[in-house]
Amino acid sequence: MLTMNKIVLLVTLYFCINSVLCQRKDIHHMMYETFKNAAMCFRTLNGTNQVGCSTSQSGSTGVVHFVNNESDVHWLLEESKAGPYMAVVPPTMFLRDVMLSLKDSPNVGGVLLAINGTGDRPAHMSPDDTCPNRFSSLGGSCDDSNPWNPVGSGFLQVDWTVPLFVVKDSLVIQQIYECFEKFNLPLERQVERSLCSLQMTGHMYAAVDTPTCLRRNSLINSFNPLRYCDPMGDQNVISHLFSRQHFSAAPNNSVVLVSAQLDAAAMFDGLAPGAMTTVTGIVTLLTTAHLLSQLLPEYKETYTKNVVFTLMNGEVQDYIGSSRVVYDMQQGKFPSADLPTRLEHLDLVIDLHQLDATRKLYCHCLQSNTAQTTVELLVRSSKSFGVNVEGSCSPDKQLPPSSLHSFLKANASIPGIIVTNHAKKYTNMFYNGLLDDAENVGYQYANGSQIPDQSIQRSLTAVAQGLALSLAQMVNSSVTWPANLSVETTVAMVDELLHCYLEERQCQLFRNISGDSVGPLDGPLPLYVGVSQSPNLVTRMTLLALAQLTGRPTNMTQAQCASPSDPSKVDYHTFYWVGGDDPDTGVCMETDITLTTAISPAFLIENYNWTSGEFSSWTESVWPEMSLRMFLKPAFNQELYTLISGVVVLFLSFSSVYWVNRHAGQLFNPLVNGEVESDKDTTFLMGRVDPSLYGTCEHC
């Protein structure tokens, strides 16, 4: 026979199992609509300041308000009554004066940038400074009256007091607008009704500046295991045309260094497209290295120069990668200590910066015979491929921001050239911005079909051809362009590279060389450098692409490729397994590619002066999570009624408990036939047993 306790237990188990098996929405999911594909502005720090965004630990909430014009801004700042508000702004309103007014207003709790396709694409949208890397470039390289990036808003250098999120999903934007339209319009008398609201969560642990954060990191122990920030940086990709062992006794001025930056700025986590800012330079360098390896396939003793291709990481953050290369050269550790390349070995530095489809290049350089001769050589070589090169070396120091600045700061006599698509100011209206994407450079994936003559693919191919021929003639003046070197094959390769970097990381090329899918996500790889503790996927894919384009195939197995046993092959050579068209096949490529650390020297120097600005001092904050969710905020009257009801219920509850406790003796005495039992029984039931009342038992 089931007792009452067993019945209660069975009923409880039934409801628990039923609630687990049934598909249902709990109260939390009924209250909130969470958006998974939103990205937040995060916090970074340097030696003296903090920039970026953060929320409180519990997040920031506000009523949704769409800001489409100046009148919406005025209403939000001057007439709104139900604040704080979450301002939803399109790219056309993501302007410096508008955003700073929203940042400083007590009526605004956060800003959501809503990028809804290409219909609202503005004429310009660059969050970087008007003089990028202003404090780490050569003095006098940028004039505020005529800056390199005149459309720069400087948002990357702002310490935002409100959180900023971005959404690029049109369905999410439509969902938020429908909620706003249903509950928040008309704008009059909003305080009297429930309102559509947003909650932004993204608390940053780091604050103040880098030295403060590093001191807090030093307090980590078993009781406080939390890190607050990490140094920004990753790895540089270094590739030698010829093995370093051929230049073991290299004289001075024996190295031509060709560089491009590998990173782009990110104002929002995971979003750093960098099409013209970065990708065109990367693709041109990879193509140039590929062509040069075909023009000069073997080393000869008559060659007195080596070409070193370098892809620098962290250049957006005060030249992290290039300053580390220079520092390692000065310390005799680049790329390794056994056979180092030093600053005095450099004959020339060529930096590839922003490029486009115009087939028009500008060369920026300081006055130098070597640099001037190289410019003239590049003019002649490029002309045969339909590229017009302009520029001459001048004694002034007005050089556009690039990796060359790190070398010139260490030794001003090093000849250097910056090859780019602009003369006195950027033609890129989205420099380091969210909209510096495939559309910004006019790229359309051909995927094996005929590629137009005026396309970005053919333009970058022509630039790479002219540069490769110039470099080959620096090494061997008798080199000419071979007739059997197919232009169409090179253009198709450039098309695929652009597709991989600009549109889809799961492209055929990246999947082939990696032998698997490229991470768990789709879409382009973010080019943001990140922190040194987290390896950057774009660095790995660029390394493998360079290995496939310039390496020498071997017959080694994959296991042998990972651990070569022949010491003669290991010295100054590296081996990378590159997949093939068939996932089950691959080849071990012998290369002269290596990775070097791209972390600022500031984090290596003991007692470094963080306010000196000598080296980059950027760190990135640690954060627990980021989330954006929508909910319906109750009206003020409803909240007031709920509060009053809660207080009344609380008062009645305390009063009832007090009264019941005070009269417990009368309320809970057991009854027999409606009368109170004897004192002896009551005493027994109450737990106060006196043995004298019952006598003794002799037979117990």
Side-chain angles (χ1 to χ4, degrees):
M1 184 175 180
L2 293 175
T3 63
M4 182 59 68
N5 288 339
K6 291 182 179 179
I7 294 174
V8 172
L9 178 61
L10 290 174
V11 172
T12 303
L13 288 174
Y14 168 78
F15 281 109
C16 288
I17 295 173
N18 186 60
S19 65
V20 172
L21 295 179
C22 293
Q23 295 182 353
R24 62 185 180 84
K25 269 194 172 183
D26 56 24
I27 298 298
H28 180 273
H29 288 89
M30 294 174 65
M31 291 175 59
Y32 295 98
E33 181 70 31
T34 302
F35 303 120
K36 300 293 185 182
N37 50 0
M40 180 187 172
C41 164
F42 52 94
R43 175 172 290 168
T44 56
L45 311 97
N46 61 16
T48 57
N49 299 291
Q50 67 177 25
V51 298
C53 313
S54 179
T55 70
S56 64
Q57 291 187 348
S58 59
S60 302
T61 60
V63 177
V64 174
H65 183 71
F66 276 75
V67 177
N68 295 314
N69 49 52
E70 291 294 336
S71 61
D72 292 332
V73 176
H74 175 77
W75 183 91
L76 184 60
L77 300 180
E78 304 295 338
E79 302 177 19
S80 58
K81 303 296 183 183
Y85 286 82
M86 289 294 178
V88 182
V89 301
T92 51
M93 293 298 293
F94 199 66
L95 307 173
R96 183 173 178 83
D97 55 344
V98 173
M99 292 300 298
L100 292 184
S101 64
L102 296 178
K103 167 180 117 44
D104 297 329
S105 173
N107 291 343
V108 178
V111 177
L112 176 65
L113 174 61
I115 302 179
N116 190 9
T118 60
D120 56 355
R121 192 179 182 96
H124 58 81
M125 186 177 165
S126 172
D128 211 330
D129 192 4
T130 53
C131 293
N133 282 343
R134 177 188 297 266
F135 302 107
S136 53
S137 299
L138 287 172
S141 61
C142 184
D143 184 1
D144 283 328
S145 62
N146 188 24
W148 294 109
N149 186 31
V151 300
S153 63
F155 286 167
L156 290 173
Q157 290 77 40
V158 174
D159 181 19
W160 298 93
T161 54
V162 295
L164 274 62
F165 270 72
V166 62
V167 171
K168 301 179 71 175
D169 189 332
S170 58
L171 296 179
V172 171
I173 298 172
Q174 181 65 24
Q175 192 173 355
I176 295 174
Y177 182 77
E178 290 175 353
C179 181
F180 164 76
E181 190 177 37
K182 180 178 180 180
F183 295 100
N184 298 6
L185 294 179
L187 299 177
E188 295 77 16
R189 305 178 68 176
Q190 282 190 337
V191 293
E192 299 178 5
R193 61 183 189 269
S194 298
L195 299 173
C196 180
S197 303
L198 291 173
Q199 182 184 49
M200 298 177 175
T201 304
H203 178 64
M204 301 289 139
Y205 289 146
V208 185
D209 53 36
T210 289
T212 301
C213 188
L214 294 180
R215 285 196 298 270
R216 295 179 69 193
N217 279 349
S218 65
L219 301 177
I220 293 176
N221 52 53
S222 57
F223 298 101
N224 181 34
L226 178 67
R227 290 185 62 83
Y228 297 95
C229 66
D230 295 302
M232 295 179 64
D234 189 58
Q235 292 178 304
N236 296 323
V237 181
I238 312 297
S239 176
H240 291 72
L241 175 61
F242 305 120
S243 174
R244 286 183 292 150
Q245 68 183 113
H246 297 312
F247 292 84
S248 56
N252 292 347
N253 306 321
S254 61
V255 172
V256 177
L257 190 144
V258 183
S259 66
Q261 72 178 49
L262 192 53
D263 68 306
M267 187 173 179
F268 299 92
D269 181 44
L271 298 178
M276 191 185 300
T277 304
T278 304
V279 171
T280 53
I282 295 175
V283 172
T284 302
L285 185 143
L286 293 176
T287 308
T288 301
H290 171 67
L291 294 174
L292 188 59
S293 66
Q294 294 179 302
L295 292 174
L296 299 173
E298 296 180 356
Y299 170 76
K300 296 181 180 180
E301 293 183 357
T302 56
Y303 296 164
T304 59
K305 284 184 172 56
N306 198 1
V307 180
V308 179
F309 294 95
T310 61
L311 287 151
M312 311 285 197
N313 230 326
E315 293 302 275
V316 171
Q317 309 297 144
D318 291 328
Y319 308 126
I320 292 176
S322 58
S323 64
R324 182 57 183 267
V325 168
V326 172
Y327 180 81
D328 288 344
M329 285 183 174
Q330 292 172 325
Q331 300 296 315
K333 298 179 180 179
F334 177 83
S336 62
D338 54 351
L339 191 58
T341 298
R342 302 179 183 274
L343 286 176
E344 55 266 25
H345 292 150
L346 296 179
D347 181 59
L348 179 69
V349 175
I350 300 176
D351 188 71
L352 303 176
H353 210 238
Q354 303 175 72
L355 303 172
D356 56 23
T358 59
R359 296 201 186 190
K360 189 172 185 178
L361 299 180
Y362 293 89
C363 292
H364 303 265
C365 55
L366 300 183
Q367 189 65 51
S368 164
N369 291 334
T370 302
Q372 185 62 48
T373 301
T374 304
V375 171
E376 295 170 359
L377 176 60
L378 187 59
V379 169
R380 293 194 303 270
S381 300
S382 301
K383 187 175 182 180
S384 59
F385 300 103
V387 177
N388 181 30
V389 179
E390 297 181 5
S392 60
C393 299
S394 61
D396 63 43
K397 294 185 178 180
Q398 288 198 348
L399 294 175
S402 80
S403 303
L404 179 60
H405 286 261
S406 295
F407 295 91
L408 294 178
K409 286 171 66 177
N411 186 348
S413 63
I414 295 176
I417 302 172
I418 302 171
V419 180
T420 186
N421 63 356
H422 61 83
K424 294 297 183 180
K425 61 181 179 180
Y426 291 172
T427 60
N428 184 5
M429 296 293 100
F430 303 96
Y431 180 75
N432 270 330
L434 286 173
L435 300 181
D436 188 13
D437 50 17
E439 183 177 350
N440 188 37
V441 294
Y443 171 71
Q444 291 184 340
Y445 184 38
N447 195 19
S449 60
Q450 183 63 31
I451 299 175
D453 290 338
Q454 303 304 317
S455 64
I456 183 72
Q457 295 95 312
R458 291 194 179 274
S459 175
L460 297 186
T461 299
V463 172
Q465 289 174 318
L467 180 58
L469 181 57
S470 299
L471 293 170
Q473 292 178 349
M474 292 180 200
V475 178
N476 180 7
S477 58
S478 63
V479 172
T480 57
W481 193 262
N484 61 350
L485 197 55
S486 173
V487 176
E488 294 304 318
T489 302
T490 306
V491 173
M493 180 188 72
V494 171
D495 180 51
E496 185 66 17
L497 284 170
L498 288 172
H499 174 59
C500 295
Y501 281 104
L502 294 179
E503 295 182 334
E504 184 53 65
R505 70 185 74 182
Q506 307 297 347
C507 64
Q508 189 65 41
L509 174 62
F510 278 3
R511 289 178 66 91
N512 286 347
I513 61 178
S514 65
D516 198 357
S517 59
V518 185
L521 303 176
D522 296 325
L525 287 168
L527 300 176
Y528 175 64
V529 63
V531 296
S532 55
Q533 284 78 2
S534 300
N536 201 333
L537 188 54
V538 72
T539 304
R540 179 65 181 176
M541 300 314 301
T542 302
L543 167 68
L544 293 177
L546 189 57
Q548 185 189 54
L549 295 176
T550 64
R552 299 169 291 277
T554 69
N555 57 3
M556 299 168 63
T557 65
Q558 189 169 4
Q560 293 171 336
C561 193
S563 302
S565 57
D566 187 352
S568 64
K569 289 183 174 294
V570 176
D571 290 344
Y572 312 117
H573 296 285
T574 51
F575 297 85
Y576 297 100
W577 184 263
V578 177
D581 294 335
D582 186 342
D584 297 327
T585 65
V587 61
C588 182
M589 304 296 288
E590 179 186 10
T591 75
D592 297 292
I593 303 172
T594 187
L595 294 172
T596 64
T597 302
I599 300 176
S600 172
F603 299 98
L604 305 177
I605 301 173
E606 188 175 357
N607 298 322
Y608 175 73
N609 180 8
W610 295 103
T611 62
S612 67
E614 181 181 2
F615 296 111
S616 173
S617 57
W618 287 101
T619 54
E620 179 190 283
S621 176
V622 175
W623 61 83
E625 65 174 351
M626 292 182 177
S627 66
L628 175 68
R629 56 185 185 177
M630 185 170 63
F631 66 99
L632 196 61
K633 177 186 175 183
F636 175 76
N637 291 341
Q638 183 178 348
E639 292 179 324
L640 184 61
Y641 294 154
T642 302
L643 176 62
I644 294 175
S645 300
V647 172
V648 171
V649 171
L650 180 65
F651 176 77
L652 293 177
S653 299
F654 275 111
S655 301
S656 301
V657 171
Y658 174 79
W659 185 86
V660 169
N661 186 62
R662 184 178 179 85
H663 300 84
Q666 299 176 7
L667 294 173
F668 301 109
N669 280 339
L671 301 178
V672 178
N673 296 326
E675 297 180 356
V676 179
E677 290 188 351
S678 64
D679 289 342
K680 179 173 69 176
D681 293 336
T682 303
T683 303
F684 176 78
L685 292 172
M686 295 292 288
R688 301 188 298 272
V689 180
D690 186 354
S692 64
L693 298 176
Y694 298 93
T696 60
C697 178
E698 298 178 356
H699 305 289
C700 292

